[in-house]
Amino acid sequence: MSQKNIEGWIASQQQSMVDQLMHLSSINSGTGNLEGLATICDEYYQAFAPLSDSIEVLESKSVQRVNHLGQANFENYGKIISCVKREDAPIQILLVGHMDTVFPKDYHFQSPKIVDESIIHGPGVADMKGGILVMLNALRAFEQVQTDNQLGWRVILNSDEETGSHGSADLLSSAAKNAHAGLIYEPALADGTLVGARKGSGNFTLTVHGIAAHAGREISKGRNAILLMSEAAQTIASLSDAKRGITVNVARVTGGTVFNVVPDQAVCQFNIRCETTGDQQSLAAKLDKIVQELSAREGYSAVLSGSFSRPPKVITSANKLLMEWVGLLMFLA
Ligand SMILES: [Zn+2]
């Protein structure tokens, strides 16, 4: 098929893409909804299988994480789709998407609706059920025009992106090593600009242990974990630095039991984002120091879990060139 004809073919897919998006958006695939994720995984399997030389459904790794109550649990995630085309071709492209959304099964926002001819509101419409449909149809178009077998591709769709891709990170990074370029089908900025760089990010859980005591008879024997955590939360928040693009969000604090007991445990969950690997390393060192200082207080101990699971993505010269090519193609279209 010629270039001109393929543009016509892409335009002809509009209605079926809208129908598919409405259907996919109506299936809840919140990261914790493993049943919904299994359904949506099956939908994507059926869609990508006819295009691929081979397709597999892989298990995510289950990962131990500390929750907001300070309990360590193994978290299970939905499955991963991996499919490849022409894996021996000299040029290899990795295309990545995620099947999960941020909306849990019991959240009020569940049904998609067409607002007007250019807007659909629905769970995951932009992030990223729509993105995956763009990827799918771009590949369907490409397979109709490619003739020289010089380019191979691999698609990976994970199910745990919204909680940090902990169960799929190893697979993604090993696949990326074999690719000349990678494209992620997250939404563009509101004005349509493609995103080439983004901050690194980490989720952390700090647990402070103190000493429980009766609030009346022996309060002086107690060590109030909530009070120490309130200091710690302020210290952690003060790591923010607007000029350097460092943001800290103290997101959740829990602790304590009843009125007359000095609380012996408090848990704080927070997110940190920064722009450079250097800042990431220095923030990790500062967090270690904060934890050491908390543990040095008489009668207290502190434990930090979590990590910077996403390194900062900075624009390299190769990224810049790729973005220019994509921009040029959009301009030509
Ligand atoms: Zn996303």
Side-chain angles (χ1 to χ4, degrees), residues 98 127-128 161-162 186-187:
H98 61 85
D127 184 10
M128 67 166 24
E161 195 273 347
E162 298 293 1
E186 288 286 348

Side-chain angles (χ1 to χ4, degrees), residues 21-55:
L21 185 54
M22 294 293 286
H23 172 61
L24 292 167
S25 175
S26 69
I27 301 168
N28 179 280
S29 59
T31 315
N33 179 5
L34 300 189
E35 207 181 310
L37 279 164
T39 307
I40 209 127
C41 178
D42 194 44
E43 295 273 343
Y44 288 130
Y45 186 96
Q46 303 297 338
F48 280 90
L51 276 176
S52 315
D53 289 338
S54 70
I55 181 164

